[in-house]
């Protein structure tokens, strides 16, 4: 970690936070794709796999763009997908409903997925903060300080 005194450079902080978010999503992908029950051929599971892959892809794109440019759109998309498709009530309900009555293996897997999803929140939130800090330091184009993690505006 590159530091001057007690102040971390925004670019280094952003890269560190991006790598942490990517690792948490990668851990989630392992849980979803490799630890699933043997009979996990359901649309809700396929959708979960797709959304996790999409988030991972957005974060991969963001990692490729640094340090040449600030990956605003890529990080915003990863956060949008996370909140809409992994943390929202409907996808969580659908996954729990699919697991109901399918036995202990399913219940354990869904619990593990939910824990892995929750572990992604802090790294993604920290990534948002680092992105805002970097843009604030560089006054990057196309970004207002009123934007928040869901892609909207507080204005």
């Amino acid at each position: 970690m590159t530091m001057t005194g007690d102040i971390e450079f925004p670019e280094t902080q952003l890269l560190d936070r991006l790598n942490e978010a990517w690792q948490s999503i990668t851990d989630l992908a392992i849980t979803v794709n490799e630890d699933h029950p043997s009979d996990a051929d359901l649309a809700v599971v396929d959708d979960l796999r797709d959304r996790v892959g999409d988030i991972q892809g957005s974060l991969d794109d963001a990692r490729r763009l640094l340090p040449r440019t600030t990956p605003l759109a890529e990080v915003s998309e990863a956060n949008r997908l996370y909140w809409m498709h992994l943390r929202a009530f409907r996808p969580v309900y659908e996954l729990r409903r699919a697991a109901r009555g399918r036995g202990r293996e399913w219940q354990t897997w869904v619990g593990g997925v939910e824990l892995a999803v929750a572990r992604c929140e802090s790294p993604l939130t920290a990534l948002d903060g680092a992105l805002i800090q970097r843009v604030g330091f560089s006054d990057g184009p196309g970004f207002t300080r009123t934007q928040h993690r869901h892609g909207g505006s507080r204005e």
Side-chain angles (χ1 to χ4, degrees), residues 3-8:
M3 307 243 331
T4 302
D6 288 340
I7 300 173
E8 186 174 8

Side-chain angles (χ1 to χ4, degrees), residues 3-146:
M3 307 243 331
T4 302
D6 288 340
I7 300 173
E8 186 174 8
F9 289 113
E11 185 174 301
T12 302
Q13 182 183 19
L14 179 57
L15 182 59
D16 289 346
R17 298 304 85 78
L18 181 56
N19 286 330
E20 290 165 5
W22 185 86
Q23 186 59 57
S24 69
I25 293 295
T26 298
D27 292 344
L28 172 60
I30 291 168
T31 299
V32 168
N33 293 312
E34 296 178 16
D35 298 341
H36 61 79
S38 57
D39 61 342
D41 292 335
L42 299 174
V44 68
V45 176
D46 290 342
D47 188 55
L48 175 64
R49 286 181 185 134
D50 291 345
R51 296 302 73 82
V52 170
D54 292 344
I55 295 168
Q56 201 171 25
S58 291
L59 294 176
D60 280 339
D61 291 345
R63 290 171 64 180
R64 278 193 293 277
L65 289 171
L66 274 177
R68 294 185 324 267
T69 188
T70 303
L72 295 171
E74 294 74 16
V75 171
S76 177
E77 180 65 0
N79 272 296
R80 184 188 72 77
L81 291 168
Y82 175 77
W83 289 103
M84 285 184 70
H85 297 285
L86 300 183
R87 290 303 294 259
F89 172 78
R90 186 101 174 134
V92 172
Y93 169 78
E94 292 296 331
L95 187 61
R96 288 177 181 170
R97 188 175 76 158
R100 197 174 306 131
R102 292 186 181 269
R104 187 174 192 89
E105 182 183 21
W106 269 87
Q107 298 301 321
T108 301
W109 179 72
V110 167
V113 167
E114 289 181 2
L115 286 173
V117 166
R119 283 192 294 265
C120 295
E121 182 175 346
S122 181
L124 285 168
T125 301
L127 174 57
D128 272 351
L131 186 64
I132 290 168
Q133 184 177 10
R134 178 174 178 191
V135 171
F137 273 88
S138 67
D139 291 322
F143 184 81
T144 63
R145 289 177 184 246
T146 60

